[in-house]
Amino acid sequence: MAQVIYGSEVSKDIRSELSEQIAALRASGRRMPKLAVILVGENPASLSYVTGKEKACTQVGMESELIKLPASTSQEELMAVVRRLNADPNVDGILCQLPLPDGLDSAQVIREIRPDKDVDGFHPINVGKLHLKEDGFVPCTPLGCMELLHRMGINPAGKRAVVLGRSNLVGAPVARLLLNENATVTICHSKTENLPQVCAEADILIAAVGRAKMVTADYVKEGAAVIDVGINRSAEGKLVGDVDFASVEPKAGFITPVPKGVGPMTITMLLKNTLKAYRQHEGE
Ligand SMILES: Nc1nc(=O)c2c([nH]1)NC[C@@H]1CN(c3ccc(C(=O)N[C@@H](CCC(=O)O)C(=O)O)cc3)C=[N+]21
């Protein structure tokens, strides 16, 4: 029987700490931390995530600015918006919601964001800093996964960790964070052979493949910690994880649900990154 770890609950604790810190800044007459979010086009999932980010900023007392651009926006127009936000001294964090509409180059946009305002942690400078164990911005979802592990009381040092998926946004950075905390890390992908057997060696299993309910009990070692990063949508539009919760939960030691697991932690870590950027900009 697994202990279910609700990122939604952990988020409440962290967000109330952030609210207190920001209230103290306000009480001393300081400007408020500000996150700017760029949304290009009308992707409904992106709109719901962006709305969630804005609500979370308001909830903790941060300012946020949503820049909504039409899908017809050119690369140059988008780059100009990023440059304007880079230059705005009141903007601490900049995020361009992915995926961008076809025809727009997200890598070029990410490179244009000032690394000290890149609260997604996607800029090559911040990716490099993560790999060099230097202080930079760490991507929000991987940071959320590590926070959940710590809240489970799990120290990754010496443990076997398996990361299922190797995306730039989640799999690769979370594997690095686990390695930085001295886990023995295996990264699995579509070419991995004997996938269930490899995953079943893990004390810590991170599922970030983007395939609904792919991870069943035969992928899981008795008592393992299973973190589900999946954000798949069922035919009815329901949010479904990469883990088949019903089949895995009886066998795992810890498990995170979808929804109410990693998702809310992603938003909460974004708030933390934005406050971190603010403090750097304020010379604290
Ligand atoms: N530049 C960029 N940065 C991102 O961090 C980024 C992105 N683009 N594109 C899309 C992904 C996905 N993502 C999520 C954020 C919140 C939830 C979340 O809060 N999920 C809730 C459910 C929310 C709902 O019901 O829609 C939950 O799991 O409980 C999920 C996924 C951030 N992303």
Side-chain angles (χ1 to χ4, degrees):
M1 203 66 153
Q3 198 179 324
V4 183
I5 304 295
Y6 288 93
S8 47
E9 290 308 307
V10 174
S11 283
K12 281 186 192 136
D13 297 346
I14 299 171
R15 291 186 196 186
S16 57
E17 285 162 29
L18 293 172
S19 302
E20 279 164 31
Q21 291 180 43
I22 291 161
L25 292 170
R26 187 182 296 105
S28 53
R30 304 278 295 278
R31 75 171 177 87
M32 286 295 97
K34 183 172 179 181
L35 171 68
V37 178
I38 304 168
L39 176 64
V40 186
E42 308 296 329
N43 175 320
S46 293
L47 190 56
S48 91
Y49 294 140
V50 160
T51 312
K53 290 171 186 177
E54 279 206 292
K55 268 198 304 207
C57 285
T58 309
Q59 191 187 50
V60 297
M62 275 187 197
E63 286 189 18
S64 68
E65 177 187 354
L66 173 59
I67 297 110
K68 280 191 77 180
L69 301 172
S72 58
T73 302
S74 71
Q75 187 75 27
E76 204 23 59
E77 286 164 339
L78 179 49
M79 302 291 274
V81 169
V82 173
R83 281 193 281 271
R84 172 175 69 79
L85 295 169
N86 279 343
D88 185 338
N90 292 314
V91 170
D92 301 291
I94 302 170
L95 177 154
C96 181
Q97 188 70 15
L98 300 177
L100 286 174
D102 291 346
L104 289 173
D105 178 355
S106 53
Q108 196 192 13
V109 176
I110 289 167
R111 277 169 169 71
E112 192 64 24
I113 297 173
R114 259 175 52 178
D116 63 298
K117 297 195 177 186
D118 167 43
V119 288
D120 259 331
F122 296 162
H123 190 289
I125 296 273
N126 285 312
V127 175
K129 285 185 172 179
L130 173 60
H131 283 252
L132 295 171
K133 294 175 84 167
E134 292 178 11
D135 184 40
F137 287 104
V138 176
C140 304
T141 296
L143 215 45
C145 292
M146 298 308 289
E147 184 66 36
L148 289 174
L149 270 183
H150 299 150
R151 297 275 172 149
M152 291 170 186
I154 293 175
N155 175 357
K159 300 280 191 320
R160 287 292 312 276
V162 172
V163 178
L164 198 37
R166 55 176 161 179
S167 70
N168 292 337
L169 307 196
V170 183
V174 76
R176 192 72 217 185
L177 287 172
L178 285 160
L179 181 61
N180 289 354
E181 293 198 17
N182 302 315
T184 300
V185 185
T186 304
I187 301 175
C188 295
H189 43 79
S190 54
K191 305 284 186 297
T192 300
E193 294 172 1
N194 304 319
L195 190 59
Q197 290 84 333
V198 175
C199 292
E201 291 167 11
D203 304 307
I204 298 166
L205 178 60
I206 313 273
V209 269
R211 285 184 45 199
K213 296 191 178 181
M214 173 182 156
V215 176
T216 49
D218 52 321
Y219 285 70
V220 177
K221 177 162 84 171
E222 189 78 32
V226 178
I227 295 186
D228 188 354
V229 183
I231 50 170
N232 313 291
R233 293 272 168 186
S234 69
E236 307 74 49
K238 195 166 155 294
L239 202 54
V240 179
D242 291 344
V243 173
D244 180 347
F245 189 92
S247 105
V248 167
E249 186 275 329
K251 194 171 182 186
F254 295 91
I255 189 166
T256 66
V258 175
K260 300 192 182 319
V262 169
M265 292 301 291
T266 296
I267 302 267
T268 303
M269 294 299 112
L270 175 64
L271 299 175
K272 268 188 98 168
N273 278 353
T274 304
L275 185 56
K276 174 179 173 157
Y278 169 87
R279 293 197 188 288
Q280 282 171 0
H281 299 147
E282 293 289 301
E284 290 179 16

